[in-house]
Amino acid sequence: MNTSKNRLYKHQDLVIRIFLVLFCTAIIVYFFPKSDRFKYDYAQGEPWEYETLYSPFRFAIMKDEEELAQERLEVIEQTPRHFYSIDIDQNELLENYDQSLKAGLADSIYDKYNRKIKSSVKEFLSNTYRQGYLEDVQDLKDIHPIVLKTGDDELQQLTYGDLITPKELNQQFVDLFADFPKEFNGVLTRRLKALIEPNIFYDQPITDLNIESELEKILPTRGLIAQNARIIAQGEIVEGDKLQILNTLNSTYESQTWSDSQYNWKLLGYVILVGMALTMLMLFIKKYRTEVYLSNKKLLFIYFNICLFAILTAAVVKLDAVFVYIVPVCMLPLIVKAFFDARLGLFSHVIIIFILSFVIPSSAEYLFLQIMAGIVTILSGKEIYKRANLFVTVGKIVLVYFISYFAFYAVYQGGITGWEWDRLLYFTLCGLAMLFVWPLIYVFEKIFNLVSDVSLLELSDTNSKLLKELSNKAPGTFHHSLNVANIAETIANEVGANAMLVRVGALYHDVGKMANPTYFTENQGNGINPHDDLDPEESAQIIIDHVIHGVEIAKKYNLPDRIIDFIRTHHGDSLVYYFYKRELDENPELDESLFRYPGPRPYSLETAILMISDSVEAASKSLKSPSSVAIDKLVENIITTQMNNGQFLNADITLKQIEAVKTIIKKKLASMYHLRIEYPE
């Protein structure tokens, strides 16, 4: 059991990579459309360019959406609306009206006309409620059928025009009181209008249920096509019923042709093909990008992007394959190149295009267009952090799409008349979508804690706000940082490290000295040293604090964590030896932790390079006679001391690389001091 655990632990990285490939394969295949693709490509209004097509099986013709929509509209318009009636106490209403008139009319007028008014209103109420008064007016024609449910649950078949609405009721008021004197005619009308109530109400729930029931009766098909019946002959125009029959055959092909066994075999084929493609990508990374292969986080980032664009494209294909060119697949090589390099970006792009070609109609056209666009993306995607360059890249990609589509259309159709202008719009939208690569790179930097070339190039600008502040407050430190950056970048290029990352880390590694610039010798231009007035412990603490201040300033200016790592580690946990030695001479039992940097030690090749470059460049300023012998001795002593103190134990740097660093840094310092290296005979 222990042997098995040890073996698993020993190969855990390999297990993780295998699992990553298998998991991504499963995710991509899961989102792939599982239906079988119709092997013919056709478009409305164009001639059928294939052999005469016969029905492979018996199937019903599906109605198109326009036809179904028209049938639904007719059902909605013709379905009866439901209403219900309630009983109104007419005697109580008449009594209330009589009381209202008695209070509103003079006694002489009331006594004279009371009986006639009462008789007329009673007959009016009887006729109105017998016919039915609807106050909630519906948007229906008078001839629209309705169903009226009475108080005794009887259903009456009527038309909407049989009901009295407020507009008709107002006219009846006019007719009702036309024979009465005009001076109190308005009072009679207003009093009755205020008291009369509707007795018919619209039954919305029952009506909706009835309409829904009728809509469910609509058949999605019309007519049948017998097996082996001719569907369309070569040269015939794809339109009308022929177009609808082809669409039906296309949509029902899977259910009529694939059994469960065939479906499982097809699924297995997808898994094998996608798995092979992702495995080839992993092998490429292992052979040519070892530093990426050894980082689980970087591998996860690459495969995450592969899955992201594969799933996005598969979702669009499921929705409607015609929109597939809107998906900005060429964003993938731009993203990979921004974080790694162009070669890996192009290889990743080719892999995902191969994967997507399994499920996209006209896969040959798609394959050619996208690979050409990917190559153009890689070739023209230099300095993407500059807005103009990205716009130029997008313009070139869209132009490649246009030209390639024009060529394919000319090949397939023998001309360019009648081509799909919508396709050009999709290409343009794809280009516009690629402009979102900037915010997407920013999001990926935060999620995966990676630093892209875009951010590094921006940070390397010495006109940035923080570096300008450093040059103003601590000009000597700024000049020192530039020298360290040049040395470290040269070393990184030679030993295979990330040169841009090292350079940016070097530029910002001493920003903490801005807090107390005059306490560092490179900024003491007037010959006054403030440390002369301090004891060694206080001086050491000020020197040590520049690391802490640097981290605080870096966070304040939102520098990436990978750059802050250079600030934390560029002195490791080494001693501030000068002040420690001074204090040690007076106090032999001195606690050396008071004179030691907080660390941590460098834990990457890049941070180790910076520590060496920083220490050697700073120490070289103390050489009174910077000869080649003196430089050799200085470099050897500093790097050997750092090695003996264990500063590189956590860093991914080999002894061979350290020897290479020594050689490079000696040459670099010699060139800075205008010396000629003395080579052995």
Side-chain angles (χ1 to χ4, degrees):
M1 180 65 73
N2 290 334
T3 304
S4 299
K5 288 183 178 179
N6 292 335
R7 189 176 302 165
L8 180 62
Y9 179 79
K10 182 179 179 181
H11 299 287
Q12 64 176 346
D13 288 340
L14 178 60
V15 173
I16 290 173
R17 285 153 182 76
I18 293 174
F19 175 79
L20 179 62
V21 171
L22 293 177
F23 178 77
C24 292
T25 300
I27 288 292
I28 293 173
V29 173
Y30 176 80
F31 284 96
F32 267 4
K34 303 304 187 298
S35 60
D36 186 42
R37 294 209 318 264
F38 195 43
K39 64 179 180 179
Y40 303 106
D41 294 321
Y42 59 92
Q44 183 177 4
E46 295 183 359
W48 181 257
E49 59 186 42
Y50 307 101
E51 72 280 1
T52 300
L53 179 63
Y54 296 91
S55 174
F57 44 77
R58 184 171 178 264
F59 64 93
I61 305 173
M62 300 293 295
K63 298 175 183 176
D64 59 27
E65 283 301 320
E66 185 178 349
E67 186 176 354
L68 288 173
Q70 182 62 33
E71 289 190 23
R72 294 189 190 102
L73 182 61
E74 291 176 358
V75 166
I76 293 172
E77 290 179 348
Q78 295 172 7
T79 301
R81 298 318 192 249
H82 284 253
F83 296 83
Y84 63 90
S85 66
I86 62 172
D87 294 328
I88 300 293
D89 190 342
Q90 299 180 28
N91 292 327
E92 182 182 353
L93 185 59
L94 186 62
E95 181 64 27
N96 292 337
Y97 182 65
D98 182 61
Q99 294 296 328
S100 178
L101 288 181
K102 190 173 183 179
L105 296 176
D107 291 342
S108 58
I109 296 176
Y110 175 79
D111 293 338
K112 181 178 180 181
Y113 293 101
N114 177 43
R115 181 171 296 179
K116 183 179 179 182
I117 293 173
K118 213 168 185 181
S119 175
S120 300
V121 171
K122 183 177 181 179
E123 182 181 0
F124 170 78
L125 291 176
S126 177
N127 293 334
T128 299
Y129 287 123
R130 183 173 56 254
Q131 185 176 352
Y133 170 44
L134 174 70
E135 191 174 63
D136 184 14
V137 179
Q138 301 297 310
D139 185 18
L140 299 172
K141 296 179 180 179
D142 288 344
I143 62 173
H144 197 99
I146 67 170
V147 177
L148 178 63
K149 181 181 179 182
T150 61
D152 52 2
D153 290 338
E154 290 186 3
L155 299 178
Q156 297 180 10
Q157 303 290 332
L158 304 172
T159 62
Y160 184 69
D162 294 333
L163 302 179
I164 298 174
T165 59
K167 182 178 180 181
E168 297 168 352
L169 190 65
N170 289 334
Q171 182 59 44
Q172 291 181 14
F173 285 152
V174 174
D175 297 339
L176 174 63
F177 299 115
D179 296 337
F180 292 90
K182 292 183 178 180
E183 57 267 21
F184 61 87
N185 187 290
V187 175
L188 299 177
T189 301
R190 287 193 300 273
R191 300 280 172 155
L192 181 58
K193 191 174 183 179
L195 292 173
I196 195 167
E197 300 175 358
N199 71 323
I200 304 296
F201 297 91
Y202 180 52
D203 196 338
Q204 180 78 46
I206 297 298
T207 300
D208 290 344
L209 286 174
N210 193 35
I211 292 175
E212 184 177 348
S213 176
E214 292 299 319
L215 288 175
E216 289 176 353
K217 296 178 183 179
I218 297 176
L219 296 176
T221 61
R222 54 172 177 84
L224 290 172
I225 298 296
Q227 186 174 4
N228 297 323
R230 193 183 76 169
I231 295 176
I232 190 170
Q234 187 175 22
E236 287 187 310
I237 302 300
V238 179
E239 59 185 358
D241 286 344
K242 289 183 174 58
L243 173 62
Q244 193 56 34
I245 293 171
L246 287 171
N247 289 338
T248 302
L249 183 60
N250 192 358
S251 62
T252 60
Y253 198 65
E254 177 194 12
S255 60
Q256 295 292 334
T257 58
W258 289 98
S259 65
D260 291 340
S261 175
Q262 290 172 318
Y263 175 81
N264 291 332
W265 279 108
K266 179 178 182 179
L267 195 63
L268 177 61
Y270 271 154
V271 170
I272 293 174
L273 292 174
V274 175
M276 285 178 61
L278 295 180
T279 301
M280 292 302 105
L281 176 60
M282 183 67 74
L283 294 176
F284 172 85
I285 294 173
K286 180 181 180 181
K287 185 173 180 62
Y288 296 105
R289 297 294 179 270
T290 306
E291 73 283 357
V292 177
Y293 179 80
L294 295 175
S295 172
N296 292 333
K297 179 174 62 177
K298 293 178 180 179
L299 286 176
L300 177 62
F301 170 75
I302 294 172
Y303 278 83
F304 170 81
N305 278 279
I306 295 284
C307 290
L308 175 65
F309 286 97
I311 292 171
L312 182 61
T313 306
V316 172
V317 171
K318 285 184 178 180
L319 178 67
D320 193 338
V322 74
F323 299 126
V324 72
Y325 284 103
I326 297 180
V327 181
V329 181
C330 288
M331 193 183 288
L332 175 65
L334 275 182
I335 293 172
V336 176
K337 181 184 177 183
F339 287 96
F340 304 107
D341 59 80
R343 190 176 180 185
L344 181 55
L346 181 60
F347 197 87
S348 301
H349 181 70
V350 170
I351 290 295
I352 193 173
I353 296 306
F354 281 152
I355 292 174
L356 294 177
S357 65
F358 304 153
V359 294
I360 292 178
S362 303
S363 56
E365 175 184 332
Y366 181 84
L367 195 65
F368 183 87
L369 262 67
Q370 295 293 11
I371 288 183
M372 289 298 104
I375 293 173
V376 170
T377 303
I378 291 297
L379 293 178
S380 61
K382 294 182 179 180
E383 297 181 338
I384 193 177
Y385 72 101
K386 294 182 179 179
R387 290 173 295 179
N389 290 343
L390 181 59
F391 280 108
V392 170
T393 299
V394 170
K396 291 178 180 179
I397 292 170
V398 174
L399 181 61
V400 167
Y401 280 143
F402 284 178
I403 296 174
S404 301
Y405 175 65
F406 168 83
F408 270 99
Y409 196 90
V411 169
Y412 288 153
Q413 304 298 331
I416 60 172
T417 56
W419 72 344
E420 302 172 40
W421 291 97
D422 290 347
R423 188 71 66 87
L424 303 185
L425 175 62
Y426 301 153
F427 294 150
T428 304
L429 292 176
C430 175
L432 294 176
M434 287 193 62
L435 297 178
F436 285 95
V437 70
W438 280 322
L440 198 58
I441 287 176
Y442 176 79
V443 170
F444 285 152
E445 285 180 334
K446 299 303 179 183
I447 294 176
F448 292 93
N449 195 26
L450 297 172
V451 180
S452 70
D453 286 346
V454 178
S455 294
L456 292 177
L457 287 168
E458 290 175 348
L459 291 170
S460 66
D461 184 4
T462 54
N463 289 318
S464 66
K465 185 177 180 181
L466 180 54
L467 291 181
K468 272 191 171 182
E469 186 177 351
L470 177 63
S471 66
N472 290 332
K473 291 184 177 180
T477 299
F478 177 72
H479 185 262
H480 160 71
S481 298
L482 289 177
N483 288 338
V484 173
N486 291 331
I487 294 172
E489 184 179 19
T490 303
I491 295 172
N493 282 322
E494 293 294 331
V495 299
N498 188 331
M500 181 60 70
L501 178 62
V502 172
R503 179 174 182 82
V504 174
L507 289 174
Y508 291 92
H509 79 284
D510 269 345
V511 292
K513 292 182 179 180
M514 289 193 297
N516 296 293
T518 58
Y519 285 86
F520 298 89
T521 55
E522 66 265 25
N523 300 310
Q524 297 169 0
N526 53 9
I528 300 175
N529 190 344
H531 291 288
D532 295 339
D533 300 326
L534 301 175
D535 60 53
E537 185 176 334
E538 290 177 322
S539 295
Q541 193 58 50
I542 292 174
I543 299 299
I544 291 171
D545 283 347
H546 89 273
V547 173
I548 300 172
H549 293 320
V551 173
E552 293 173 351
I553 293 171
K555 289 182 176 179
K556 177 183 176 182
Y557 281 83
N558 297 317
L559 292 185
D561 288 340
R562 291 192 68 187
I563 304 305
I564 297 177
D565 289 342
F566 285 91
I567 300 175
R568 290 193 180 101
T569 62
H570 73 279
H571 285 295
D573 58 0
S574 60
L575 284 172
V576 184
Y577 190 77
Y578 176 78
F579 294 108
Y580 171 72
K581 184 64 175 175
R582 279 180 51 188
E583 184 69 12
L584 185 64
D585 293 340
E586 299 179 5
N587 182 12
E589 298 182 358
L590 178 65
D591 182 5
E592 71 171 24
S593 64
L594 299 175
F595 294 83
R596 191 174 292 279
Y597 284 99
R601 296 173 178 177
Y603 45 82
S604 68
L605 176 59
E606 286 78 13
T607 51
I609 290 173
L610 176 62
M611 170 181 272
I612 296 172
S613 303
D614 177 50
S615 301
V616 173
E617 200 282 335
S620 68
K621 294 293 190 295
S622 64
L623 292 175
K624 297 179 180 179
S625 300
S627 63
S628 60
V629 174
I631 290 175
D632 288 355
K633 184 178 180 181
L634 176 72
V635 172
E636 292 288 344
N637 288 339
I638 289 177
I639 296 179
T640 300
T641 301
Q642 290 173 337
M643 292 176 62
N644 292 337
N645 291 334
Q647 296 300 321
F648 304 138
L649 290 178
N650 299 328
D652 185 21
I653 186 170
T654 64
L655 292 174
K656 182 178 180 181
Q657 287 174 321
I658 290 176
E659 292 301 318
V661 168
K662 290 180 181 179
T663 302
I664 297 165
I665 206 168
K666 290 174 184 177
K667 291 181 180 179
K668 191 67 178 177
L669 287 177
S671 65
M672 290 173 60
Y673 289 105
H674 306 289
L675 300 176
R676 187 179 298 276
I677 296 293
E678 296 179 3
Y679 294 97
E681 297 181 358

